[in-house]
Amino acid sequence: MIVVRSLNLDGVNYFHVKVAGLLFVATTRINLSPSLVLELLQRIARVIKDYLGVLNEDSLRKNFVLVYELLDEVIDFGYAQTTSTEVLKSYIFNEPIMVDAARLPPLGPASMFMQGTKRMPGTAVTKSVVANEPGGRKREEIFVDIIEKISVTFSSSGYILTSEIDGTIQMKSYLTGNPEIRLALNEDLAIGRGGRSVYDYCSSAGAGAVMLDDCNFHESVHLDSFDVDRTLSLVPPDGEFPVMNYRITQEFKPPFRVNALIEEAGAFKAEVILKVRAEFSSNITANTVVVQMPLPKYTTRLDDTHKKKVDELSRVIVGGSEHTLRAKLTFSQESHANIMKEAGPVTMNFTIPMYNASRLQVRYLQIAKRSKTYNPYRWVRYVTQANSYVARL
Amino acid sequence: ILTPVCLTHLLCRIKEFSEWAQCLVLDLVSKYVPSDSNEIFDVMNLLEDRLQHANGAVVLATTKVFLHMTLSMNDVHQQVYERIKAPLLTLVSSGSPEQSYAVLSHLHLLVVRAPYLFSSDYKHFYCQYNEPSYVKKLKLDMLTAVANESNTYEIVTELCEYVANVDVPIARESVRAVGKIALQQYDVNAIVDRLLQFLEMEKDYVTAETLVLVKDLLRKYPQWSQDCIAVVGNISSKNVQELKAKAALIWMLGEYSQDMLDAPYILESLIDNWDDEHSAEVRLHLLTAVVKCFFRRPPETQKALGAALAAGLADSHQDVHDRALFYYRLLQYDVSAAERVVNPPKQAVSVFADYQSSEIKDRIFDEFNSLSVVYQKPSYMFTDKEHRGAFELSEEIGSLSVGTESMDIAIPAQRVEANDNDLLLSTSEKEESRVPSNNGSAYNAPSVSLATLDTQSELISPLSSLPSYAPNPTLVIDDLLGLDLPSSSAPAPARSPSPPPLKLNAKATMDPSTFQRKWGQLPLSLSKECSINPQGVAALTTPQVLLRHMQSHSIHCIASGGKSPHYKFFFFAQDTEEPVSYYLMECIINTSSAKAQLKIKADDKNTSAAFSTLFQSALSKFGMS
C-alpha cells in the first residue's frame, strides 16, 4: 500500500509536509516513528519562518545560506537536536534578509484578522523574531491567537449530527529578556468527561461552564496552578508556538444555519432554494464566506435570478442576517429517485474574526514586570474558521 | 542494556530533555523489561504527564511504553486504552493533515485490536467532508471494526450517506463497509433494506459493489434470499459491466434460478454474447450457473446449456476449457451425479477468511510508533538489512528471500510470500492467511514446499546411513571441498576416539522463535569458510535443491532464500541421543566464487566438532547425487 504522505521506494522512506506552497522532505532508511519526522518537518518550517519573518519562495531563495545553517544546527547525524528558535539563536550567525512584506498576496496571515474596516497591523506578525528593527529599538509585543476550527454536520432534518471544535492557542512573543507570563482562562473550565461517551447529554455541568474534552500543552508550560485557578505560567520561547491544543465536543451554537431545498418543477426542471442564516450578533462580520453545493451530474443549466446576491453571499455576511439564493436547474435527463440524494451536501467555508464558538476566553495576560515603564503591547485575538461545515440535504 | 538505576535516572529527569530527546528516551524505555508490577506502575506514573504533550511523537512513544508494559496485565491494559483515547483523538484533530494521518493509523491499529473498548466513540470516526480520501478510508475501516449491537444502526445510516458521496472510491468502500458489518452481525434486517436501497440508486459503481455484497450476504444468510432476489431480478444485466459484479449476478442467477423467473433467459442472452465476454472469471461463473440452472429448470435451459458447453470447449482459456469439458463428461456419464457435484445443498458460510494473519498483526503491534503501522507491514518487509535495529535474527530470516541486493518493492510477490511463510512455519494457518500486499495471489507451489519441508515430514533417507559418514568425512572433505583443516593428519586420529557417531533426528522440528532465541543465546562454536565443488555450484540453481539434499541428511532448514549468486540458509538439526541437543547453523553460499561460509552454534560444545564434519560431508555430497 503506497501512502501519500510517506512513501517507500527502494528501501528509502520519504516524508513530506507542505507549508505555504513549499515542500519539506525528509528521508530515512530505518523504521522510525512517522509522527516524529512529520512533527520535525513542521517545526523546521516554523523555525525558518521565525527567522525569515515570512515563509515563501522568495524569502527562502534570498536566505539560502541562513536556512542551510539552520538545518545544519537542527539535525546532527540524523538526530534532531533542538527546534527552539531561542536556543538556536546562539548558534546561528547569519542575518536574515527581509523580503518586502507589502508585496504579500492579500490572503496572507494578517488578513485573517481583518475586521471590516479595522485592520490589524499587517506587518506585525511578519517580522522576523531575531532580526533587529531598523532604528535599534524593538517594539515589545506579544500576540496570543485563539484559533478555533469548527466541524458541524447537519442532518437532512436540520438537527446537528456531529459537532466538534478543535482549538489552539498560539503565542508569538517579541519580548526581550523572556519574562514570565501568566495566562488565565475561564475559571469554570472543566476538562474531560470522566470516561463517558462525550455525546451523552450531560446536565450536571453549569449553564456557562466550558468543558474541554481534552487538551495538550507545550512543554514549556507549567501546569502547577492550572488545577487551582486555570492559569498557565510559562516563559515563552522566542518564535511562534502553540501553548495549548484542545478539543471540545460539547454542544455549542453553530454560527450559521443552512437550509437547502430542491423542488422538482416538471420532468426536466427543478428549483434550488438555499438559505443561510447567521446566528451571531450583528457587530461581528464573517468574511471570505463561500457556500458550495454540488449538483447532479446531469444538470445542464443553472439560472439564478439573483445574480447579485450570489456575490454578496460569497464575501461578507453580517451577523444576524439571512441570505437566500434561488436558482433554476435544467437537466439533460429525467431525474429519478430522490433528487435530494443526487445533489451533494452543502459545504461552507468561512472565517469569523473576534468570535469563538466555545466560550473559552483569556481572562488576563500578565507579564512579569521588570521596570515601571515596561509595558509591552498585548494582542489577544479570536478567530473561528470552518473545518468541515456540512449540511446534508 | 537498560538497568533499573539508569531507567529511574532518565525518567525522573525526562522533562529536562528536549522533546526529540524525550522520544529517544521513551524508545529505550519501551525496550526495557520491568521486573515486577510495582516497577511497571512506577514507570507509568512518571510518564503519565507525557500524554499531555503537544508533540504527537512524544505522546505516541509514551503510548507504546504503556501498552507494551501492560500486555500481561489485562485490566490495567484496558485502562491504558481508556486513558490514551482522548489524547490521541486530540492529536488527530490538531495537527497538519500529515501528522493527523500518522496518528490516525496508530489509532486504527488500536481500534482493530480492541474494538469493544472504542465502541462508544464511534462518532469520532465519522468521515468529514473535506478530508482526503486516505483518511476517510482509514475511518471506514475503524467504523466497521467498532460496529456492535448497539451502534450498528447509526453507523450504517452514516455509511449510507457516504455512499452518495461524489468520490467514487469512497462510495465503493462505504458499500463494502456496510457489507462487512452485515456479515459480522446477526441482525441484518435493516442492513439488507439499505443494501437494496443502494441498488435503486442506479449509480453503476454502487450497483456493482452492492451486487458483490449481496452475493456474500446470501452465502451467509440464505434466509434472506426472497427479498434480495426480488430486487436483484429487476436489474438488467446490461447495466452491469464490472467483472466482479457480473460474476456475482451470474452466481445468483444460477443459485436461485428457481426463484428468478427470468433466469434461464438472462443466462441465454449472456451466453449468446459469449465472445463479447472477455473475462475468464465471468465465463467460468457462466458455465457453472447455466449447469445449475439446468438442474432446476431443464426444459428452458437445455439449449443454453448446449451453447455454453460448445463455446466453453472451444474457448482458448485453459480453465474455461477444462471446466466445460469436465461438465460435459460428467453430464454424459450421469446426470444425477453431476447434480450432486455441481449443486449440492449448501451450508451457510459462517466465517470469511481474514486478510492478514494474526502473527503479522502482532508483529506490527510490537513495532508501534513506527512506519510499520502506517504501511501495515512489519518492518522487515520494507527495510534494508543493514539498517535494522531491534529484531536482528528474525529479520535476517525474514529477509532471506530478499537477497543481498537492495529492496525493490516492485517485486513483492515471491519475496513477501516467502517472508510470510517463515512466520507460518509452525502454525497451521497456512490456508487462511493471505499476503497483505497489493497482489492478491495465493501461495504457489515453491513456497509451500518450503513449509512442508519443515513440518513433520516423512523422511526418505534412513538413519542408518549416517554412521558411515563419520569415519569417511576426512578423506572426502579433503579431496572434494579442499577444506583448510588445521592439519590433515590430526583429524584422523581425532576422529577415531571420538564419541559415538552422531545420529540426527530425521523428524526434528523447531519453531522460528525458538531458533531465534537459541541463536541469540548460544555462542559461536565454529566458523568456517569452505569452497564448493563445481557440480555443487551448478546444481544450486534454486535454494530448494540444497534444502532437499540436506533434508536427506536429516539437517533441516528453517529458512532460506536468495537469488543467484548469493544464497543464505539457516539449518538446524537435533541429536537423537540423550540429552537432546540442537545444532544451529547459518550458511552463506556465493555461487560465483564457489565459496560457502558456515557458522555453527551448538547446545553441546563437545559434539559440535563432530556435527560440523557431518554437515560439511553432507555439503560435499551435494551435487554428487
Side-chain angles (χ1 to χ4, degrees):
Chain A
M1 175 175 90
I2 306 284
V3 177
V4 176
R5 297 300 178 174
S6 55
L7 186 58
N8 184 312
L9 213 57
D10 279 338
V12 178
N13 300 301
Y14 299 83
F15 301 87
H16 73 277
V17 298
K18 196 164 175 182
V19 178
L22 298 166
L23 288 178
F24 290 80
V25 183
T27 61
T28 177
R29 281 187 179 268
I30 62 170
N31 184 17
L32 49 71
S33 162
S35 301
L36 187 89
V37 180
L38 294 171
E39 285 273 350
L40 186 62
L41 285 172
Q42 291 278 354
R43 268 335 144 63
I44 289 177
R46 197 157 2 128
V47 167
I48 296 180
K49 179 163 172 251
D50 282 343
Y51 268 82
L52 303 183
V54 58
L55 185 59
N56 59 21
E57 220 180 300
D58 247 356
S59 62
L60 204 60
R61 247 185 309 133
K62 289 197 174 142
N63 290 285
F64 179 71
V65 180
L66 172 63
V67 172
Y68 195 83
E69 196 181 357
L70 275 172
L71 286 176
D72 195 24
E73 290 296 335
V74 169
I75 305 193
D76 209 10
F77 279 105
Y79 290 96
Q81 302 297 311
T82 172
T83 50
S84 151
T85 315
E86 198 169 331
V87 174
L88 286 169
K89 255 201 283 192
S90 37
Y91 298 101
I92 304 287
F93 300 106
N94 280 305
E95 292 290 323
I97 300 171
M98 289 298 118
V99 167
D100 187 6
R103 280 192 289 118
L104 281 177
L107 281 172
S111 67
M112 187 166 73
F113 297 100
M114 273 202 315
Q115 175 74 288
T117 50
K118 273 195 302 186
R119 292 180 65 119
M120 304 299 284
T123 55
V125 282
T126 59
K127 265 189 323 187
S128 157
V129 175
V130 286
N132 284 321
E133 184 136 322
R137 193 176 65 93
K138 249 182 137 174
R139 192 162 138 155
E140 304 276 325
E141 311 179 285
I142 180 165
F143 294 90
V144 177
D145 301 329
I146 302 184
I147 305 172
E148 287 188 346
K149 295 204 162 80
I150 52 177
S151 314
V152 177
T153 311
F154 292 96
S155 75
S156 46
S157 35
Y159 71 91
I160 295 178
L161 203 56
T162 60
S163 63
E164 189 175 293
I165 303 179
D166 300 314
T168 165
I169 303 183
Q170 297 264 353
M171 188 182 279
K172 191 157 184 176
S173 149
Y174 290 101
L175 304 170
T176 51
N178 295 340
E180 192 183 329
I181 293 186
R182 289 175 74 84
L183 188 76
L185 303 171
N186 309 36
E187 261 173 2
D188 50 1
L189 193 65
I191 301 188
R193 287 225 179 193
R196 270 174 304 160
S197 162
V198 298
Y199 284 95
D200 292 340
Y201 181 66
C202 174
S203 57
S204 59
V210 178
M211 189 170 302
L212 308 178
D213 275 28
D214 186 49
C215 48
N216 57 35
F217 302 92
H218 193 257
E219 55 177 3
S220 58
V221 174
H222 296 294
L223 295 169
D224 315 327
S225 46
F226 190 67
D227 290 329
V228 175
D229 53 359
R230 300 293 183 224
T231 53
L232 307 169
S233 60
L234 68 153
V235 177
D238 279 351
E240 192 178 331
F241 65 98
V243 175
M244 177 171 144
N245 295 318
Y246 56 92
R247 187 170 50 92
I248 299 180
T249 45
Q250 187 189 24
E251 294 192 355
F252 58 90
K253 206 170 75 159
F256 290 100
R257 281 219 177 256
V258 180
N259 281 318
L261 200 59
I262 303 186
E263 283 169 351
E264 293 192 32
F268 290 91
K269 290 197 196 304
E271 190 177 353
V272 165
I273 305 170
L274 191 59
K275 271 193 227 169
V276 173
R277 189 189 155 71
E279 304 260 332
F280 43 88
S281 66
S282 48
N283 55 356
I284 301 176
T285 310
N287 48 19
T288 65
V289 177
V290 176
V291 181
Q292 281 178 328
M293 181 169 132
L295 294 170
K297 266 194 297 199
Y298 41 83
T299 311
T300 51
R301 265 175 39 167
L302 168 71
D303 306 318
D304 46 4
T305 51
H306 303 267
K307 254 216 145 45
K308 265 201 278 187
K309 278 274 176 63
V310 176
D311 288 340
E312 262 179 61
L313 209 65
S314 62
R315 271 212 227 108
V316 157
I317 293 189
V318 180
S321 62
E322 181 172 324
H323 296 262
T324 314
L325 170 70
R326 275 174 211 272
K328 290 198 169 35
L329 306 173
T330 317
F331 302 122
S332 62
Q333 68 185 64
E334 192 161 332
S335 63
H336 30 197
N338 192 356
I339 193 177
M340 299 269 271
K341 287 288 176 202
E342 299 266 333
V346 180
T347 49
M348 278 187 75
N349 273 313
F350 52 83
T351 312
I352 314 179
M354 299 317 289
Y355 172 81
N356 67 345
S358 71
R359 276 152 291 126
L360 187 75
Q361 290 198 327
V362 172
R363 270 185 301 132
Y364 61 80
L365 177 63
Q366 253 178 8
I367 305 177
K369 270 200 179 316
R370 277 184 308 172
S371 64
K372 285 226 180 59
T373 54
Y374 184 65
N375 197 10
Y377 292 94
R378 294 149 228 239
W379 302 99
V380 176
R381 307 181 288 196
Y382 299 89
V383 176
T384 304
Q385 284 178 327
N387 189 8
S388 163
Y389 205 87
V390 171
R392 298 208 176 130
L393 291 179
Chain B
I1 358 164
L2 204 59
T3 62
V5 175
C6 189
L7 183 79
T8 28
H9 184 92
L10 283 174
L11 287 181
C12 290
R13 291 173 181 69
I14 199 163
K15 288 200 208 22
E16 296 170 27
F17 288 112
S18 83
E19 43 194 340
W20 315 110
Q22 285 184 23
C23 290
L24 289 171
V25 168
L26 288 168
D27 221 11
L28 270 178
V29 174
S30 70
K31 294 186 186 138
Y32 173 76
V33 178
S35 46
D36 64 348
S37 57
N38 281 334
E39 209 174 349
I40 295 182
F41 288 125
D42 283 340
V43 169
M44 284 172 61
N45 281 333
L46 281 170
L47 291 176
E48 173 84 20
D49 59 346
R50 293 299 93 204
L51 287 174
Q52 298 290 106
H53 201 276
N55 185 332
V58 173
V59 175
L60 279 178
T62 319
T63 312
K64 181 178 182 185
V65 170
F66 279 24
L67 286 172
H68 280 241
M69 284 196 169
T70 53
L71 267 180
S72 50
M73 304 188 282
N74 236 341
D75 47 346
V76 184
H77 196 69
Q78 294 202 0
Q79 282 175 18
V80 168
Y81 274 106
E82 293 288 329
R83 177 72 186 86
I84 58 173
K85 253 197 268 185
L88 287 180
L89 284 170
T90 311
L91 280 175
V92 169
S93 30
S94 62
S96 66
E98 298 90 356
Q99 288 159 303
S100 147
Y101 181 73
V103 178
L104 201 62
S105 305
H106 289 85
L107 202 54
H108 172 256
L109 178 69
L110 294 177
V111 168
V112 171
R113 268 181 85 90
Y116 46 93
L117 289 171
F118 289 90
S119 53
S120 54
D121 297 304
Y122 63 93
K123 279 209 176 178
H124 289 121
F125 306 138
Y126 281 179
C127 298
Q128 293 184 340
Y129 191 70
N130 58 351
E131 278 173 350
S133 56
Y134 48 87
V135 173
K136 281 187 186 164
K137 187 164 178 328
L138 264 188
K139 286 192 169 176
L140 283 175
D141 267 347
M142 291 199 275
L143 279 174
T144 51
V146 298
N148 64 15
E149 303 292 323
S150 51
N151 54 24
T152 303
Y153 183 73
E154 293 188 26
I155 292 185
V156 173
T157 318
E158 184 70 17
L159 288 173
C160 295
E161 293 287 340
Y162 300 151
V163 172
N165 198 314
V166 172
D167 189 8
V168 174
I170 294 294
R172 281 179 196 260
E173 286 292 332
S174 312
V175 178
R176 276 183 223 152
V178 174
K180 256 194 264 182
I181 296 183
L183 290 173
Q184 288 167 2
Q185 305 298 325
Y186 301 111
D187 169 31
V188 291
N189 213 333
I191 297 180
V192 171
D193 278 336
R194 298 276 173 66
L195 277 180
L196 299 177
Q197 271 175 18
F198 293 159
L199 288 174
E200 287 168 18
M201 277 172 83
E202 301 206 19
K203 285 195 191 168
D204 46 0
Y205 52 89
V206 173
T207 312
E209 290 293 331
T210 316
L211 277 176
V212 174
L213 280 165
V214 172
K215 169 195 81 159
D216 281 335
L217 209 65
L218 287 175
R219 281 165 69 191
K220 189 165 178 190
Y221 304 109
Q223 62 265 32
W224 292 104
S225 57
Q226 295 293 59
D227 301 330
C228 295
I229 296 303
V231 181
V232 172
N234 290 336
I235 299 180
S236 157
S237 61
K238 291 190 195 20
N239 285 349
V240 180
Q241 288 305 323
E242 288 188 29
L243 298 177
K244 277 200 180 299
K246 238 182 175 164
L249 183 60
I250 295 173
W251 182 85
M252 281 188 275
L253 285 172
E255 189 67 21
Y256 295 98
S257 43
Q258 72 268 30
D259 298 320
M260 294 170 84
L261 296 173
D262 292 336
Y265 308 108
I266 301 179
L267 285 173
E268 192 168 343
S269 64
L270 282 170
I271 293 169
D272 288 338
N273 294 332
W274 185 273
D275 296 323
D276 293 337
E277 199 53 67
H278 296 293
S279 155
E281 186 186 346
V282 177
R283 288 182 181 182
L284 284 172
H285 273 271
L286 205 46
L287 274 176
T288 316
V290 80
V291 173
K292 282 192 215 168
C293 192
F294 175 72
F295 293 130
R296 307 252 173 89
R297 295 157 74 162
E300 298 162 275
T301 328
Q302 193 170 0
K303 188 158 151 273
L305 180 62
L309 285 176
L313 286 169
D315 197 286
S316 54
H317 193 274
Q318 193 60 29
D319 282 340
V320 177
H321 174 85
D322 284 349
R323 195 181 277 202
L325 199 55
F326 168 65
Y327 285 155
Y328 181 66
R329 288 183 183 157
L330 196 56
L331 285 168
Q332 264 190 333
Y333 169 69
D334 182 8
V335 177
S336 57
E339 176 155 17
R340 280 203 312 275
V341 167
V342 179
N343 206 7
K346 292 186 185 65
Q347 276 180 324
V349 174
S350 56
V351 165
F352 286 85
D354 197 11
Y355 286 119
Q356 224 180 21
S357 86
S358 54
E359 286 212 35
I360 292 199
K361 283 190 188 155
D362 283 339
R363 260 301 177 80
I364 296 179
F365 180 70
D366 281 340
E367 296 173 2
F368 195 79
N369 196 23
S370 72
L371 281 167
S372 315
V373 179
V374 174
Y375 292 149
Q376 294 186 355
K377 290 186 214 174
S379 67
Y380 63 78
M381 290 188 183
F382 58 84
T383 46
D384 291 340
K385 255 198 325 185
E386 311 89 59
H387 294 277
R388 249 166 262 153
F391 298 103
E392 284 178 8
L393 182 68
S394 57
E395 282 145 11
E396 296 272 285
I397 294 178
S399 74
L400 285 180
S401 57
V402 172
T404 51
E405 287 106 41
S406 59
M407 280 281 274
D408 188 3
I409 299 284
I411 349 166
Q414 178 201 11
R415 173 171 311 142
V416 180
E417 283 168 4
N419 285 340
D420 216 5
N421 241 335
D422 300 328
L423 293 174
L424 298 176
L425 286 177
S426 55
T427 66
S428 56
E429 294 171 27
K430 285 195 285 275
E431 59 282 355
E432 291 186 2
S433 27
R434 301 177 118 250
V435 174
S437 65
N438 40 12
N439 61 336
S441 60
Y443 289 112
N444 46 32
S447 326
V448 175
S449 71
L450 182 58
T452 52
L453 276 181
D454 210 38
T455 50
Q456 310 286 344
S457 48
E458 55 292 313
L459 220 277
I460 322 111
S461 94
L463 282 174
S464 54
S465 65
L466 283 176
S468 64
Y469 285 160
N472 283 339
T474 50
L475 306 169
V476 172
I477 289 173
D478 279 343
D479 292 346
L480 297 175
L481 288 189
L483 265 187
D484 245 359
L485 291 179
S487 58
S488 48
S489 55
R495 293 259 180 270
S496 30
S498 70
L502 281 179
K503 289 205 181 86
L504 295 177
N505 187 351
K507 286 188 184 251
T509 59
M510 187 188 283
D511 62 316
S513 52
T514 318
F515 189 93
Q516 183 181 336
R517 191 172 39 85
K518 279 184 176 297
W519 190 263
Q521 287 170 349
L522 293 173
L524 190 63
S525 341
L526 207 60
S527 180
K528 258 191 164 46
E529 177 153 328
C530 52
S531 48
I532 316 175
N533 58 35
Q535 285 101 323
V537 172
L540 195 60
T541 47
T542 73
Q544 273 71 24
V545 184
L546 181 62
L547 301 186
R548 277 183 236 124
H549 175 81
M550 284 302 180
Q551 189 76 58
S552 62
H553 297 293
S554 304
I555 299 176
H556 308 278
C557 175
I558 196 159
S560 76
K563 290 202 295 231
S564 166
H566 302 282
Y567 293 100
K568 189 168 185 180
F569 304 93
F570 281 93
F571 293 106
F572 71 95
Q574 185 187 18
D575 195 356
T576 49
E577 306 278 329
E578 289 301 311
V580 171
S581 66
Y582 283 98
Y583 304 96
L584 316 174
M585 65 232 85
E586 176 192 23
C587 179
I588 305 178
I589 300 184
N590 187 336
T591 48
S592 53
S593 59
K595 289 225 178 295
Q597 275 174 318
L598 308 173
K599 281 192 200 155
I600 301 182
K601 295 188 182 181
D603 274 340
D604 181 6
K605 278 203 239 341
N606 301 332
T607 49
S608 66
F611 175 73
S612 83
T613 46
L614 233 167
F615 183 76
Q616 283 158 4
S617 72
L619 197 61
S620 68
K621 293 277 175 190
F622 178 62
M624 312 261 69
S625 50

